[in-house]
Amino acid sequence: MEEPRTKTKLWYHWLNVRFRQYMILEIFFVISLIMVLCRLQTISNQNDRVLEMVNSMHSRFGNMERKLEAFVSQKSNQDEHQFESNKPLEQSIDDVLKNKIFPTQNSTEKMEPVVPQVKQYTSNTAKSTSKVPIRKETFRFNAADFLSGASVDNDHSSSSSLNPLIGYDQTNLVLIDRPEPPADKAWCTNDENPVLTINLAKYIKPISVSYQRSKWNGTIPNGAPKTYDVAACLDFNCKKRKPLVSNCQYNQHESRKTEQMCNISSHLEVPLIGKVQFRFRENYGDAKMTCVHLVRVYGETTTPAKIEQKSLESEEICTDLRWYYYNSYFRYTWTNKNCTLLYKNDCCFECPDCCEECLISDYNGSTLGDIVENTFLGIVVVIAPLVFILAILNILSIICSRLYNGTCF
């Protein structure tokens, strides 16, 4: 019995000495090695993002260079054509002048003076002989686009799944103008007569409205709007309305187009409006829930949409978000990635999945910090008065006990 105990003591003594004298250095070495490997991995990831950004910029610059070369060649061809067309005119004028100054003896025709043709343009002066009306070119634009400033008026709309009791309001997803709205970001309501009221980005004279659904195969899914009306709100509460279109139908047999439009009559006398109301009358399948994916309200403008060149900062933002999405779920969740940021910086080309899954107000590091801060403040607001009341009661109890040699409560 003594021999095993002696061996056990020897092993314990050896492990104890080994751990105290050597393991501390080995543990420190392992921790240092792990930190160095993490740092190398971070540097490698940063290099990958930089290379990806440089490649994307190089491709964009190549496209710009090709467009510039095509424009220059087209411009040179136009100049050559214009020069060739002006050449015969100059030759004819020279011939006329020669014939007028040095007439030939064999010529028997009467020479008439050459009167150059002058085009008359519109003039506001009294000396103008004719006025030619010049019609300004008009462009169509979507005044119900969230990215341009439009928003859903929740106070005068039906309750929807995008505006839960707990969580952020995502109702404006139904107004993001994109080629294909995602199927899981629809504005769904259980109201029998759903109403969607929209504050437009600017006051317009409407020319058409449209509804677009996400891609579908075969038959239109149940719950999709079938017929709807659109009215212009003449007051803030939308109690006074002017009908714009009625019985606008979303047809499942109309050439497989996901967006279907209803034109507004040009003879309809409607003032400039800043708020419209979609009133859905019937859905497919007579379902209890009606789901709306994307609505648009078109107006006319004389200024075309500006196409801004993508900046270097936007390139960096889009490249980082793309790398985070496909390589680091934690960092993508922690960073800011709402729809406004993605679409304003034109990140849908680099990361289409990011734009498809974006939210109006997403959950990220700052929002989680706000949630924790608000929760802590709520606890403090609730607990602080209780602590204060208990402290006052304790002080009163001490005072009473000293005055009356007992307890007052």
Side-chain angles (χ1 to χ4, degrees):
M1 294 294 293
E2 292 181 358
E3 186 175 359
R5 289 179 182 178
T6 305
K7 290 183 178 181
T8 303
K9 289 181 180 181
L10 289 175
W11 278 105
Y12 176 77
H13 179 72
W14 182 82
L15 289 173
N16 192 11
V17 173
R18 179 77 175 174
F19 178 77
R20 288 183 178 180
Q21 294 184 2
Y22 302 103
M23 291 299 291
I24 294 176
L25 295 176
E26 293 177 359
I27 291 172
F28 179 76
F29 176 75
V30 170
I31 293 174
S32 302
L33 183 61
I34 293 172
M35 292 178 66
V36 169
L37 292 175
C38 292
R39 183 59 181 171
L40 290 175
Q41 182 66 27
T42 303
I43 294 173
S44 176
N45 294 336
Q46 290 178 355
N47 292 334
D48 292 339
R49 291 200 300 272
V50 170
L51 290 174
E52 187 175 358
M53 184 176 65
V54 169
N55 291 330
S56 63
M57 290 179 64
H58 180 70
S59 62
R60 285 182 176 272
F61 285 140
N63 293 330
M64 289 176 61
E65 186 177 359
R66 287 192 295 269
K67 290 180 180 179
L68 185 60
E69 290 177 355
F71 176 76
V72 170
S73 62
Q74 183 180 3
K75 187 67 176 175
S76 61
N77 293 332
Q78 290 178 356
D79 293 340
E80 290 177 0
H81 180 71
Q82 185 176 3
F83 176 75
E84 291 176 356
S85 62
N86 291 335
K87 205 168 183 181
L89 181 60
E90 293 176 357
Q91 292 177 357
S92 62
I93 293 174
D94 292 339
D95 294 338
V96 170
L97 291 175
K98 288 179 180 179
N99 293 330
K100 187 174 181 181
I101 298 173
F102 306 104
T104 57
Q105 295 180 357
N106 296 329
S107 177
T108 58
E109 298 178 355
K110 292 183 180 180
M111 300 183 62
E112 297 179 357
V114 178
V115 180
Q117 295 180 356
V118 180
K119 293 183 179 179
Q120 295 179 350
Y121 296 96
T122 303
S123 176
N124 294 326
T125 61
K127 296 181 181 180
S128 175
T129 58
S130 64
K131 293 184 178 181
V132 180
I134 299 175
R135 185 178 182 272
K136 291 184 178 180
E137 188 177 4
T138 58
F139 302 90
R140 189 183 69 175
F141 78 103
N142 178 20
D145 185 11
F146 168 73
L147 301 175
S148 299
S151 61
V152 174
D153 187 352
N154 288 320
D155 295 333
H156 303 98
S157 300
S158 302
S159 59
S160 71
S161 58
L162 295 179
N163 189 15
L165 295 176
I166 300 175
Y168 289 110
D169 179 18
Q170 312 290 348
T171 310
N172 290 320
L173 286 172
V174 75
L175 301 181
I176 294 181
D177 195 346
R178 41 189 162 187
E180 292 294 337
D184 59 341
K185 299 291 190 300
W187 181 87
C188 297
T189 180
N190 290 319
D191 288 3
E192 186 176 356
N193 297 310
V195 175
L196 178 61
T197 306
I198 301 171
N199 296 315
L200 300 179
K202 61 187 295 187
Y203 281 83
I204 62 165
K205 181 175 177 58
I207 59 174
S208 62
V209 296
S210 73
Y211 167 69
Q212 181 175 352
R213 185 182 165 77
S214 60
K215 287 184 177 180
W216 45 272
N217 297 319
T219 58
I220 298 179
N222 293 336
K226 188 175 183 180
T227 57
Y228 60 92
D229 303 333
V230 181
C233 298
L234 303 180
D235 60 352
F236 178 78
N237 296 322
C238 214
K239 293 181 178 179
K240 297 180 180 180
R241 298 185 294 271
K242 176 74 174 179
L244 298 177
V245 290
S246 299
N247 292 327
C248 193
Q249 186 174 8
Y250 188 77
N251 194 348
Q252 62 178 340
H253 304 293
E254 188 174 332
S255 66
R256 308 296 298 164
K257 290 182 179 179
T258 56
E259 181 188 13
Q260 297 180 15
M261 301 179 62
C262 285
N263 295 324
I264 299 172
S265 175
S266 58
H267 302 289
L268 187 65
E269 295 182 359
V270 180
L272 295 178
I273 61 172
K275 181 180 289 190
V276 297
Q277 192 172 80
F278 284 76
R279 306 181 73 85
F280 300 95
R281 302 173 58 183
E282 185 183 5
N283 61 25
Y284 282 92
D286 294 330
K288 293 183 179 180
M289 179 178 290
T290 303
C291 292
V292 181
H293 288 78
L294 176 59
V295 293
R296 296 182 178 95
V297 180
Y298 291 104
E300 286 185 344
T301 180
T302 56
T303 57
K306 296 181 179 179
I307 301 177
E308 298 180 356
Q309 187 65 30
K310 196 170 183 179
S311 62
L312 181 60
E313 183 180 0
S314 298
E315 290 281 357
E316 293 177 354
I317 292 173
C318 298
T319 303
D320 289 342
L321 287 174
R322 183 180 185 279
W323 192 91
Y324 294 157
Y325 183 85
Y326 293 107
N327 296 279
S328 178
Y329 175 79
F330 176 76
R331 298 187 70 173
Y332 183 75
T333 305
W334 193 256
T335 191
N336 185 15
K337 54 191 180 300
N338 58 47
C339 293
T340 303
L341 177 72
L342 289 168
Y343 282 92
K344 289 294 184 182
N345 291 283
D346 195 16
C347 295
C348 296
F349 177 77
E350 283 84 354
C351 186
D353 294 332
C354 300
C355 292
E356 186 176 354
E357 298 179 6
C358 72
L359 299 173
I360 301 298
S361 300
D362 69 308
Y363 296 92
N364 51 49
S366 60
T367 56
L368 291 176
D370 294 337
I371 292 173
V372 173
E373 182 180 358
N374 293 331
T375 304
F376 178 75
L377 290 176
I379 294 173
V380 170
V381 168
V382 172
I383 294 178
L386 295 176
V387 173
F388 181 73
I389 293 171
L390 291 175
I392 292 176
L393 292 176
N394 190 22
I395 292 171
L396 292 176
S397 176
I398 293 173
I399 293 173
C400 288
S401 62
R402 289 183 178 179
L403 291 177
Y404 300 102
N405 296 325
T407 60
C408 298
F409 305 104

